[in-house]
Amino acid sequence: MTSATNTREVEASELTEDQNLLRIGHAMTRMRLLTGRRMIGRLAIQSVAPGLELSHLDVLDVVRRAEATGEVTVGTIAEMLRIDPSRASRIVADMVTRGVLRRKASQADARRIVVVLTALGQRLLSEIQAQKFSVIGSIFADWTQEEIESFSLLFDRYVSGYEQVFQARIKETDD
């Protein structure tokens, strides 16, 4: 364990619960500002597919995630991104024109059109992953393996809790 880590642990142990929650809130704000600029996505676009927009990356991510559970339609994309179906349709059409996605008939119902990744789409997703690993690797370069493991478990637990609270609040407002 590094001396900086020891110092952070001592500092954290001396704070009250409210102060720790405030620190987490401040860190979340700083992280939101960093991720809001979407630098990883911008780097990936620049190196693999100049001319794409960040919304295209969002669609690629949705297609990748949704393919794990079944066929992906424009409606699926709109729902997962919480955007109007006509906007999702325009983005998909642009991505098809650029060769990142392609449309094909559903295997379950030939009347339905689904969206799939092309080789360029797969390459772009791989580049995004490589950019993320590079950035994350730089951040954790001086952390011990135990610190990384502990953080990964706690951070995943935190984000899962955040998602649950968010979904519960949305459900309350929808009811």
Side-chain angles (χ1 to χ4, degrees):
M1 201 177 298
T2 65
S3 63
T5 302
N6 287 332
T7 303
R8 284 192 300 268
E9 288 176 0
V10 169
E11 290 172 356
S13 68
E14 295 172 357
L15 296 176
T16 67
E17 182 178 349
D18 287 346
Q19 290 169 319
N20 282 319
L21 294 177
L22 186 61
R23 179 190 288 179
I24 291 168
H26 287 308
M28 285 175 61
T29 300
R30 293 188 345 255
M31 181 138 186
R32 182 186 56 79
L33 291 172
L34 290 169
T35 57
R37 294 187 181 101
R38 314 258 324 252
M39 294 311 296
I40 292 171
R42 290 177 195 280
L43 289 170
I45 287 172
Q46 183 179 29
S47 55
V48 175
L52 287 185
E53 299 174 16
L54 292 170
S55 59
H56 294 122
L57 297 185
D58 295 335
V59 170
L60 284 175
D61 183 58
V62 163
V63 171
R64 177 189 55 80
R65 287 185 292 129
E67 279 182 335
T69 59
E71 295 179 326
V72 182
T73 64
V74 171
T76 305
I77 294 167
E79 183 179 322
M80 290 180 74
L81 289 178
R82 295 182 170 271
I83 61 175
D84 186 78
S86 63
R87 169 116 172 94
S89 182
R90 286 190 303 275
I91 295 170
V92 167
D94 187 36
M95 294 176 75
V96 167
T97 300
R98 294 171 185 264
V100 179
L101 294 175
R102 71 179 173 86
R103 291 185 175 106
K104 71 174 197 172
S106 166
Q107 296 300 307
D109 180 352
R111 297 170 296 176
R112 195 169 70 152
I113 301 298
V114 296
V115 178
V116 296
L117 294 167
T118 64
L120 176 59
Q122 291 286 355
R123 202 168 93 227
L124 187 55
L125 282 174
S126 294
E127 179 64 23
I128 293 165
Q129 190 70 23
Q131 292 290 345
K132 284 181 183 179
F133 280 173
S134 175
V135 170
I136 292 169
S138 297
I139 293 167
F140 292 109
D142 64 344
W143 289 40
T144 66
Q145 190 59 41
E146 293 81 24
E147 289 171 324
I148 294 169
E149 180 181 356
S150 179
F151 179 78
S152 73
L153 294 170
L154 291 171
F155 191 63
D156 184 63
R157 181 175 163 194
Y158 170 78
V159 172
S160 295
Y162 196 85
E163 288 170 334
Q164 289 171 356
V165 167
F166 182 70
Q167 291 302 323
R169 300 251 170 116
I170 286 177
K171 188 176 184 325
E172 287 173 8
T173 60
D174 288 347
D175 289 344

